[in-house]
Amino acid sequence: MSERRSIIDPALTRLTGVLLKSALRQLARHLKTPSGIFVALMVVGTVGMGLMPMIVASQTGSLDGIQMYSTVTSTIPLMMLVIVAMAVYFDIGQQITELRPPELQFVLAGPFSDHQILSYRLMTLAMTWVVSSCLMAVFALPGAGSYPSAVLAIYTGGMTVTALTTLHAISKPVLNSTVRTLVASALLGAVALLLITSLPLGMSDAGFSWQAWLLGCQSSMLGTVMTLPFLAFGKLLSAPLGMAMLGWTCVCLATLVVGFGACYWVNVGFAELAVEGVSRKQVRIQRFRSGQFGRLNKTEHRSTWRLFEFPWWGGIGPVAWHQVTFAVRRNGKLLFGLVCVGLVTGVVLMVLPFFRPETIHAHFREWSMPIAMVASTYLGFLLTLSQPIGMAMTPKTLTWFRMLPCRPIAIVIGMLAGQLVILFAIRLAFAVVAAFVTTRGWGENLAVLLAGLGLDVAYGSAINLVTAATVLRAMPSGTPDVLQGGRAMLYMFVLAVGMVPSFLAAGVAGGTAAVMTDMDRQVIAIAVGAGLLAVQPVIWWVTAVFFRDRELFQGD
């Protein structure tokens, strides 16, 4: 049969519609159950409470309490540049070429061309981004010209980022791997250079302002040139209803068409890439099942790194040994590099004031340790959220753990080790930087660090609780559908609920210490850390009950 000439095949369009109907039917089935209705009401209520301040602020013009959102929306071109650079460097676009095995049998076995298969993938992504754009547009209202302009800017901007990352992924058969690596490294290096050289723009007499830094970075000469391709999306976001919005919408759509046009022009082997993506996913699953949890490399090799044996500790030791080994083999280079960068940065910041005393503001030096703890919390959240560590491992692997001759609570406690290794390493890297520049006493800084470590334990426990009690995961796998973003948001909501007992205990302990010691910050930090740790045994016990009673034999 001759190859079809149209880039969109009716059969693949119908498959996309069937996937959409299936997702909606699944949602309707969940909403018919009492638990589904309760969760839906909780999610709608939580999201509504989060969106209401943005709606009120956009109607009343009172932006004093939410200047952060206004700054973020003003730096849309810079944010898009950073996202594209990171996505290209880490080759996130290759996930677009991954099909599930059932899809492989239908899509690749049919008489479809590379362009038609690419269109099918882009259609599924376009559907998922509609719902997310409508929700994200509400958060952008305080800095947007109107709600329609916010939706259009976020939707076209997100799809443009998708087009650029897809273009990099499907250029694999065309460009040499060395050239692709050089392009990705040069782009990320240029963005990093732009951000670092713009740091002085955020300094003022009042201290360091990240809002001034981002705005100054985008408006600098180099920033203006690098963010030029994404300027139209920022203009569309701030455009009111009228001809201005229509004009910038046309410019954004033209940019999007050019991006997708380049994808179709370069696309010469999407079917082969899809087969390679399925093969890569199958190999990854087989490696998980066989216990080889290392990251998939182009050349297969087994790590020779060995960890000393842990004591039995009632069954906690072997499980903790497995989790630490897994985490270090998977993230060892990244964590070691992060600690090295922290040491070098700390030494530079310690020496620099001898030559330029005005470089680091006194307020920044005073609050360097709390700032470091906040930054490390955010990075640890991003790095550990979607990793298959602890109770987030595959059901068959968890079944193997449940067969060990030890109590479920021992397994739950041991499962924390992998997450804590990553989180503690990130804390150490940021704490080293703060320790070199801080002007506060070592006792207070150590107390703040201990509070941060207590938060890591509470966060890891909450992840294990959610993944043991539900089927939710932060990053669902498989073909995107319109509910995938909703499931991720539901996971975030349930995770936040799981953290509530720890936050309440920390707040009560910190408040009590503040009243009794007349706001002694060192004692408050110690009390907050103690409050976070005090409730963890209860959370571990509840997690162990869910882990013991829940049926784990599920499809991967």
Side-chain angles (χ1 to χ4, degrees):
M1 183 179 293
S2 61
E3 183 177 299
R4 301 176 186 267
R5 298 193 177 189
S6 62
I7 63 173
I8 300 178
D9 189 272
L12 294 178
T13 303
R14 186 171 182 179
L15 174 61
T16 306
V18 170
L19 291 175
L20 174 61
K21 292 179 181 179
S22 175
L24 295 176
R25 187 163 52 248
Q26 183 181 8
L27 175 63
R29 184 168 62 250
H30 285 303
L31 291 178
K32 291 180 181 180
T33 62
S35 60
I37 295 175
F38 174 75
V39 172
L41 292 176
M42 291 291 292
V43 172
V44 171
T46 304
V47 174
M49 287 187 294
L51 299 181
M52 189 56 64
M54 307 302 161
I55 298 175
V56 173
S58 63
Q59 297 297 322
T60 61
S62 56
L63 304 178
D64 295 337
I66 49 176
Q67 286 296 328
M68 177 183 68
Y69 296 96
S70 179
T71 302
V72 171
T73 53
S74 301
T75 56
I76 287 294
L78 180 62
M79 296 296 102
M80 292 182 65
L81 174 64
V82 174
I83 293 173
V84 169
M86 295 184 64
V88 168
Y89 181 80
F90 293 105
D91 205 6
I92 302 299
Q94 71 174 356
Q95 297 179 6
I96 298 176
T97 65
E98 293 184 355
L99 300 174
R100 292 182 300 181
E103 290 178 311
L104 181 69
Q105 297 175 6
F106 180 83
V107 175
L108 298 185
F112 307 122
S113 65
D114 291 330
H115 288 356
Q116 290 168 346
I117 300 174
L118 175 61
S119 299
Y120 163 71
R121 296 299 289 149
L122 295 179
M123 281 191 298
T124 56
L125 291 172
M127 288 195 309
T128 63
W129 194 234
V130 170
V131 179
S132 300
S133 300
C134 293
L135 289 176
M136 294 173 65
V138 178
F139 288 97
L141 276 178
S146 64
Y147 181 73
S149 62
V151 173
L152 290 173
I154 294 175
Y155 184 81
T156 55
M159 293 305 296
T160 299
V161 172
T162 300
L164 295 177
T165 54
T166 304
L167 178 63
H168 178 260
I170 64 180
S171 66
K172 185 176 181 180
V174 180
L175 296 179
N176 183 275
S177 59
T178 304
V179 176
R180 295 177 74 247
T181 302
L182 288 176
V183 171
S185 301
L187 178 59
L188 185 61
V191 173
L193 179 64
L194 171 64
L195 296 175
I196 293 174
T197 54
S198 302
L199 282 174
L201 299 177
M203 298 301 301
S204 64
D205 294 337
F208 182 81
S209 172
W210 66 270
Q211 294 96 333
W213 169 50
L214 292 178
L215 293 173
C217 180
Q218 179 174 282
S219 60
S220 64
M221 182 179 298
L222 180 60
T224 302
V225 174
M226 295 182 65
T227 59
L228 183 62
F230 310 111
L231 180 63
F233 302 98
K235 295 292 186 180
L236 174 59
L237 184 68
S238 59
L241 288 173
M243 295 303 297
M245 187 190 78
L246 180 62
W248 287 116
T249 300
C250 294
V251 176
C252 293
L253 289 175
T255 305
L256 180 59
V257 170
V258 170
F260 282 134
C263 292
Y264 284 104
W265 180 65
V266 173
N267 183 29
V268 294
F270 191 85
E272 289 76 8
L273 292 176
V275 173
E276 180 182 344
V278 173
S279 176
R280 184 169 55 248
K281 181 179 292 186
Q282 293 282 41
V283 170
R284 187 160 57 242
I285 293 175
Q286 292 297 330
R287 287 167 62 88
F288 286 166
R289 290 174 176 174
S290 62
Q292 301 177 31
F293 298 102
R295 187 168 295 177
L296 183 62
N297 297 319
K298 295 180 180 179
T299 58
E300 181 73 15
H301 80 281
R302 185 181 294 272
S303 174
T304 59
W305 183 84
R306 293 290 183 269
L307 180 67
F308 62 89
E309 293 185 2
F310 292 176
W312 175 248
W313 289 337
I316 297 175
V319 178
W321 181 91
H322 177 276
Q323 290 293 296
V324 172
T325 302
F326 173 32
V328 173
R329 285 181 176 178
R330 183 181 178 90
N331 304 281
K333 293 182 179 179
L334 175 62
L335 298 178
F336 179 75
L338 187 62
V339 173
C340 292
V341 170
L343 288 171
V344 173
T345 305
V347 172
V348 172
L349 292 178
M350 182 182 66
V351 175
L352 191 59
F354 290 100
F355 301 95
R356 298 186 61 182
E358 73 283 356
T359 302
I360 305 178
H361 198 275
H363 292 297
F364 180 81
R365 294 172 65 92
E366 182 182 5
W367 296 97
S368 59
M369 186 60 73
I371 293 174
M373 292 300 98
V374 172
S376 58
T377 298
Y378 180 71
L379 181 58
F381 174 81
L382 295 179
L383 191 58
T384 60
L385 190 63
S386 59
Q387 292 210 24
I389 299 178
M391 295 297 173
M393 304 185 89
T394 59
K396 290 186 177 181
T397 304
L398 293 179
T399 301
W400 179 83
F401 275 105
R402 196 160 63 177
M403 295 172 62
L404 294 177
C406 54
R407 295 176 180 270
I409 192 169
I411 298 176
V412 170
I413 297 174
M415 285 288 196
L416 280 173
Q419 295 164 338
L420 295 185
V421 165
I422 299 175
L423 295 172
F424 285 0
I426 296 174
R427 291 281 182 202
L428 177 62
F430 281 84
V432 167
V433 177
F436 277 107
V437 300
T438 183
T439 56
R440 292 185 178 273
W442 285 101
E444 183 175 336
N445 289 322
L446 184 59
V448 174
L449 176 60
L450 292 177
L453 298 178
L455 179 61
D456 291 338
V457 175
Y459 173 62
S461 300
I463 291 180
N464 284 346
L465 173 62
V466 173
T467 51
T470 69
V471 296
L472 297 173
R473 295 295 184 270
M475 299 296 178
S477 59
T479 301
D481 56 61
V482 294
L483 300 180
Q484 193 166 92
R487 285 192 292 268
M489 293 182 63
L490 178 60
Y491 175 86
M492 301 292 184
F493 166 74
V494 177
L495 181 61
V497 172
M499 292 288 294
V500 168
S502 301
F503 288 151
L504 288 177
V508 171
T512 303
V515 173
M516 296 181 62
T517 62
D518 195 18
M519 299 301 294
D520 188 323
R521 286 177 288 197
Q522 179 175 339
V523 178
I524 293 174
I526 295 176
V528 168
L532 288 169
L533 296 176
V535 298
Q536 298 316 306
V538 178
I539 295 177
W540 297 339
W541 177 78
V542 174
T543 305
V545 172
F546 281 117
F547 178 63
R548 180 196 62 195
D549 298 339
R550 180 182 160 204
E551 177 61 55
L552 295 174
F553 292 99
Q554 307 171 28
D556 289 331

